[in-house]
Amino acid sequence: MMEARYAWELSQNKDQQLAKELQEQCQLSPLLAQLLVQRGIDSVQAAKRYMDPQLAELHDPFELHDMQKAVDRIQAAVANGEKIVVYGDYDADGITSTAVMYETLDEVGAQVEFFIPNRFTDGYGPNLDEYQRLIDGGAQLIVTVDNGVSGAKEIEYANSRGVDVVITDHHELPAQLPEAAAIVHPKFPGSEYQGGDLSGVGVAFKTAWALTEEFPQEMLDLVAIGELADLVDVTGENRALITWGLKQLRQGMRPGLHQLVKLAKLNEDRLTDQDVGFGIAPRLNALGRIDDASEGVLLLTTMDDREGKEIAQEVENANQTRQQLVAKITDEALKQARSAENADRSTLVLLGHEWHQGVLGIVASRIVEETGKPTIVASVNDGDEIAKGSGRSRDGFDLFMALQKHRDLMTAFGGHAQACGMSFTIDQVDELRQALEQEAVEQGLFEAGSAKLELAAELGPDDINEDLYDQLQCLAPFGPGNPEPVFAIHADRINNVKTIGKAQEHLKFELRGQKRSAAVVAFGKAELAPLLLAGVPVTIAATVGINEWRGKRTAQLMLKDIQTQGTAILDQRTRQLLPSMFTETGYYVAFDQTLRENIAGHVQGTVLSPQTAVKTDFKDQQVTIVDCPPSLEMLSSLWQNGGQPAMIRLLLWERNPVRFGLPTRQQFAVLYRFLRQYPKIANYRQQQPAMARSLQMPVEQLNWMITVFYEAKFVTINDGVLKLADHPDHVDLEQTKCYRQHAAHLQSDQVLLYSDTRTLRKYVADWLIANE
């Protein structure tokens, strides 16, 4: 049985009367009407506004704090021919913010340049050395986008040089605000903006709108990318900005973006928020993670087709490098996470050497997803003593608050409840681990249990089709405040379990319904394939996606979580036993006594003999079959207690695999005639090779056949002399103990060692079912 990683919570059907009213007056399906009610829609008018957001709903940009001051100062700089530098950031929100502001200032005739800090040399936000360099280079006005509010020291320096700074930002405000010429911020104390949770590009867009006094609709594509990448709340005016931004994106008006969409193999005519979030944004983010994010601004602002194509390819190359780094480091980090020393920890601090620091946050997110544990992934370069790391958390654990209490263990630290960054000396790593474990206890992480996963409704495989997908798109764009609906889908059986992808890293299978099958895709979950046995009942939690291939659109399910009935059976057959195979807790069954003695010091769990195993209740336990049994009956008898294990690992190591099949009656007859010809053979052991050559059979087979004859009393062996009996009794050789043991051993090897994975797993599953 495979248990769900999350705690599933099925949403209750609220206000059935309102749902029925929405269904009738808005011509919606019952499911879509109910989903709207779940999202807090309380009237027909609200439903129509929700499904068709309009730009007229956007708030006046001058409602933002200091907007008039910002516009006045920028307009003065343009009029006076001052050199303006747009100071951006290296993530997708920062890149799009920079592109919006740079493009706007260029259009109004400003003398403008842009600067994107380097993640590795400059760090996030204002950097004093860079401010000095920019001012020395002639900057007379600095306009920050997606950063600035944390730059009190840098802006004080700029002021001392006679250079004004206009801040446009959306990040949390510090206790000490900078003495800037203007601070345009949606959460400024005392003048909170009513328009919603704008990202950096949203604030830059509003500034561009106010500066030009015209609505810059052509820049909505950049707004959609930045806001979706930064995971802002997609309600309020953000919903309209993103919806119309996606429409703008589908026009393909920016050569660089057009080429990037093509390289990402996305359908430009049907671009969705998911395409941006998982296709475009990660590629822009890859630039800052791997090298210089400035290329991203050029990609977004160029109007030259050739240049756009060249830069798009550079971005794609950076993304492929990022993917390779993430895959490699995640694999190494997961081995640490699953080690014996981390098995009982509630939190993880994983330290690697020479791990690329630009992808540590992504890796940390992957580890949290795999383990459910708040995780810090850090790296130290050879020869250094300072490690840099990124942390990611899960519901029920405030990582920022946990680490804030232990700032003395770190040389640098910042972040929020779900994500943080830090540096620390490597000799503090154990104390950091202990501190996190203590904080997990104090915050009640263990009592909080699994993270929750809210399910919108229960569906069946027959319900999954293109029409359902199109209906659900009426609820898009999805994101914080408006999550994509996750459904519970049950099937009595699954089919066609396989791994896909260049590195076979993804999983695909089908849920069988009454009328049709529904395809399920799980990215990065290839390791689940051995746990899914065709024909067993399964329930999954999934969103509804679409697969486009050669012009054909097919609905498919995107896996979020899964639980199965029955036992997970893992084919891990091996020819060599290693200590790493015994680090899992649980029961280990070894049929060979010498083997049991040899592995006892390596096993984390309990080593059992077959005689003890048959008396053990394996219900919900992990059981590892270490070696191949002498007979299939010995394996099947292990489950006679009826307890269904949660998992069975089949190592099935074989000390002496059978090297020959069962001889035929003719072969026994040939051997008997040979012995009648040579009824007395001295030094029998030495003569075996010559006898085997004469009889044209392996020595092992000849020796075994002689043993069968010996048990049947056809021959005697005394003092090394093999002698044929004078008048042997008639004996059925197939009933001798030696023959029956070899036949059982041969059958066991054929089924357990030489069958394919599907046959092996089905054999074990059938025995489990028979013993229920």
Side-chain angles (χ1 to χ4, degrees):
M1 178 176 66
M2 190 191 313
E3 295 185 356
R5 288 186 177 177
Y6 297 96
W8 296 7
E9 291 188 353
L10 184 63
S11 298
Q12 299 300 311
N13 289 335
K14 304 173 183 177
D15 202 337
Q16 295 288 344
Q17 184 58 40
L18 175 60
K20 185 176 181 181
E21 185 180 351
L22 295 179
Q23 178 185 343
E24 294 173 350
Q25 297 197 29
C26 299
Q27 297 183 336
L28 305 175
S29 69
L31 175 62
L32 193 58
Q34 188 58 56
L35 292 177
L36 285 169
V37 174
Q38 287 179 6
R39 278 163 162 67
I41 299 301
D42 57 6
S43 68
V44 171
Q45 292 73 22
K48 290 179 178 179
R49 287 196 304 271
Y50 178 90
M51 292 188 292
D52 188 23
Q54 297 298 313
L55 294 175
E57 301 171 14
L58 300 183
H59 289 251
D60 188 326
F62 286 97
E63 293 179 14
L64 282 160
H65 180 266
D66 272 359
M67 182 62 81
Q68 188 62 61
K69 287 184 180 180
V71 168
D72 291 344
R73 181 62 187 91
I74 294 172
Q75 286 180 339
V78 174
N80 296 329
E82 297 178 41
K83 181 179 178 180
I84 304 174
V85 175
V86 179
Y87 194 114
D89 189 26
Y90 44 70
D91 66 2
D93 190 26
I95 292 171
T96 52
S97 301
T98 304
V100 165
M101 190 63 71
Y102 173 76
E103 204 169 76
T104 299
L105 292 173
D106 185 58
E107 287 179 1
V108 298
Q111 182 187 345
V112 60
E113 296 177 0
F114 68 84
F115 169 73
I116 301 291
N118 184 285
R119 177 192 292 267
F120 308 103
T121 58
D122 300 323
Y124 165 75
N127 178 284
L128 188 58
D129 290 340
E130 292 297 349
Y131 265 57
Q132 181 176 346
R133 185 186 63 79
L134 292 172
I135 293 171
D136 288 345
Q140 296 167 282
L141 174 65
I142 296 175
V143 178
T144 75
V145 289
D146 194 33
N147 77 95
V149 293
S150 62
K153 178 177 62 176
E154 290 78 9
I155 292 170
E156 181 182 3
Y157 170 79
N159 291 339
S160 71
R161 294 283 302 271
V163 175
D164 286 335
V165 179
V166 169
I167 295 173
T168 72
D169 199 357
H170 73 115
H171 290 94
E172 292 298 324
L173 292 160
Q176 179 189 357
L177 291 173
E179 294 291 334
I183 300 178
V184 181
H185 196 291
K187 296 179 182 178
F188 197 89
S191 59
E192 284 81 1
Y193 178 62
Q194 301 302 310
D197 178 29
L198 293 173
S199 74
V201 73
V203 180
F205 175 81
K206 290 284 184 141
T207 306
W209 182 3
L211 187 62
T212 60
E213 299 182 349
E214 293 181 2
F215 185 74
Q217 186 160 341
E218 71 281 0
M219 293 184 181
L220 284 172
D221 49 0
L222 303 181
V223 177
I225 295 172
E227 295 226 311
L228 288 169
D230 220 50
L231 300 177
V232 296
D233 193 286
V234 291
T235 59
E237 69 174 355
N238 279 342
R239 185 170 176 79
L241 286 169
I242 295 171
T243 298
W244 285 84
L246 289 171
K247 292 179 181 180
Q248 187 74 20
L249 262 176
R250 294 172 192 138
Q251 303 303 311
M253 300 302 293
R254 295 179 184 271
L257 265 180
H258 173 74
Q259 291 296 330
L260 190 62
V261 167
K262 186 182 294 186
L263 288 172
K265 298 180 180 179
L266 302 173
N267 186 335
E268 193 167 54
D269 294 335
R270 296 178 181 270
L271 281 175
T272 67
D273 55 284
Q274 302 297 298
D275 293 329
V276 173
F278 296 101
I280 297 175
R283 285 170 165 78
L284 291 178
N285 279 327
L287 286 169
R289 295 185 185 281
I290 301 303
D291 193 12
D292 183 7
S294 298
E295 290 292 295
V297 181
L298 298 178
L299 174 88
L300 300 178
T301 57
T302 183
M303 288 294 115
D304 183 271
D305 289 338
R306 170 181 276 185
E307 183 180 35
K309 187 173 184 179
E310 291 175 353
I311 301 175
Q313 187 60 59
E314 291 178 20
V315 174
E316 182 65 19
N317 293 343
N319 186 58
Q320 291 177 4
T321 300
R322 187 267 306 173
Q323 290 175 328
Q324 293 166 2
L325 287 169
V326 168
K328 178 178 181 295
I329 296 172
T330 299
D331 183 60
E332 295 175 12
L334 271 175
K335 289 178 181 177
Q336 285 192 32
R338 292 169 175 164
S339 66
E341 65 177 319
N342 283 319
D344 296 327
R345 294 184 186 274
S346 300
T347 62
L348 297 171
V349 179
L350 310 176
L351 179 63
H353 293 272
E354 301 290 344
W355 287 351
H356 196 289
Q357 294 172 1
V359 300
L360 297 182
I362 301 176
V363 175
S365 295
R366 299 276 178 91
I367 303 301
V368 173
E369 184 180 349
E370 287 293 324
T371 65
K373 300 177 180 181
T375 299
I376 292 172
V377 176
S379 176
V380 61
N381 294 331
D382 289 339
D384 290 347
E385 295 184 357
I386 300 292
K388 293 184 178 180
S390 289
R392 297 293 183 270
S393 191
R394 47 153 287 189
D395 291 343
F397 188 72
D398 189 323
L399 186 59
F400 180 84
M401 184 175 70
L403 291 171
Q404 172 81 349
K405 298 179 182 178
H406 304 279
R407 277 182 172 268
D408 58 309
L409 298 177
M410 297 170 284
T411 57
F413 170 68
H416 53 80
Q418 295 296 305
C420 63
M422 80 288 293
S423 299
F424 56 88
T425 57
I426 55 176
D427 60 1
Q428 296 279 31
V429 65
D430 288 335
E431 289 190 49
L432 190 59
R433 287 181 175 129
Q434 293 172 12
L436 268 188
E437 284 296 287
Q438 182 59 39
E439 291 298 326
V441 173
E442 292 186 11
Q443 291 192 31
L445 177 61
F446 182 79
E447 290 80 3
S450 301
K452 292 180 174 57
L453 180 64
E454 186 171 341
L455 304 177
E458 294 178 300
L459 301 176
D462 293 336
D463 298 319
I464 311 305
N465 52 45
E466 186 180 344
D467 181 59
L468 173 63
Y469 171 80
D470 289 337
Q471 286 183 52
L472 296 176
Q473 289 308 298
C474 295
L475 305 176
F478 299 118
N482 186 48
E484 186 174 10
V486 180
F487 300 100
I489 303 102
H490 177 78
D492 289 331
R493 59 182 300 179
I494 58 177
N495 283 332
N496 299 327
V497 180
K498 58 184 178 181
T499 56
I500 58 174
K502 288 183 179 180
Q504 299 294 292
E505 70 273 36
H506 310 308
L507 173 69
K508 188 173 185 179
F509 58 93
E510 293 180 353
L511 299 182
R512 282 289 301 273
Q514 296 295 321
K515 299 178 181 178
R516 62 170 67 92
S517 294
V520 183
V521 176
F523 289 114
K525 297 295 183 183
E527 75 278 2
L528 294 180
L531 307 179
L532 300 178
L533 188 64
V536 303
V538 62
T539 304
I540 70 169
T543 58
V544 181
I546 203 79
N547 179 41
E548 298 194 26
W549 177 250
R550 295 180 178 177
K552 183 179 179 181
R553 302 175 79 233
T554 307
Q556 62 185 12
L557 294 165
M558 314 306 294
L559 189 73
K560 295 291 184 184
D561 201 3
I562 183 170
Q563 54 187 6
T564 64
Q565 298 178 22
T567 302
I569 302 171
L570 277 66
D571 179 2
Q572 297 182 349
R573 287 176 287 189
T574 183
R575 294 183 179 180
Q576 181 180 11
L577 295 176
L578 301 171
S580 59
M581 298 174 180
F582 303 101
T583 58
E584 302 283 344
T585 57
Y587 291 105
Y588 290 79
V589 179
F591 296 91
D592 184 86
Q593 180 178 345
T594 303
L595 177 61
R596 288 197 297 274
E597 295 171 355
N598 290 340
I599 67 174
H602 301 285
V603 170
Q604 294 293 325
T606 304
V607 182
L608 301 177
S609 68
Q611 293 79 16
T612 306
V614 297
K615 303 174 184 178
T616 304
D617 184 0
F618 290 131
K619 184 177 181 181
D620 297 333
Q621 300 296 316
Q622 177 170 304
V623 181
T624 299
I625 308 300
V626 181
D627 55 341
C628 196
S631 70
L632 293 176
E633 286 70 20
M634 289 189 71
L635 179 63
S636 64
S637 67
L638 299 180
W639 324 120
Q640 66 184 23
N641 241 358
Q644 286 267 343
M647 179 187 296
I648 297 175
R649 298 170 64 224
L650 299 169
L651 302 183
L652 298 177
W653 176 77
E654 175 68 284
R655 185 188 301 277
N656 296 305
V658 175
R659 300 181 184 277
F660 59 91
L662 286 171
T664 63
R665 287 178 178 272
Q666 174 101 15
Q667 287 175 305
F668 275 114
V670 169
L671 175 59
Y672 190 77
R673 286 195 297 269
F674 180 88
L675 294 176
R676 287 185 63 182
Q677 185 178 357
Y678 304 100
K680 185 176 181 179
I681 302 174
N683 298 320
Y684 159 64
R685 294 293 179 187
Q686 297 179 11
Q687 298 296 327
Q688 276 186 337
M691 291 173 62
R693 285 194 298 273
S694 176
L695 293 166
Q696 297 183 343
M697 66 178 62
V699 172
E700 295 93 337
Q701 179 178 331
L702 171 63
N703 188 47
W704 176 79
M705 292 172 69
I706 293 293
T707 304
V708 173
F709 277 3
Y710 180 82
E711 184 182 341
K713 299 183 178 180
F714 285 9
V715 298
T716 61
I717 302 176
N718 292 307
D719 297 327
V721 177
L722 174 68
K723 183 179 179 182
L724 184 67
D726 293 333
H727 302 289
D729 295 334
H730 175 74
V731 175
D732 184 354
L733 298 180
E734 295 183 4
Q735 296 305 311
T736 62
K737 180 180 179 182
C738 183
Y739 188 99
R740 286 185 285 108
Q741 285 180 339
H742 182 76
H745 195 176
L746 179 65
Q747 182 187 31
S748 177
D749 280 8
Q750 288 175 336
V751 172
L752 302 179
L753 295 185
Y754 306 122
S755 63
D756 58 35
T757 296
R758 184 187 299 271
T759 302
L760 174 66
R761 293 168 66 196
K762 185 177 186 305
Y763 174 82
V764 176
D766 287 346
W767 272 110
L768 290 171
I769 293 171
N771 285 286
E772 281 187 333

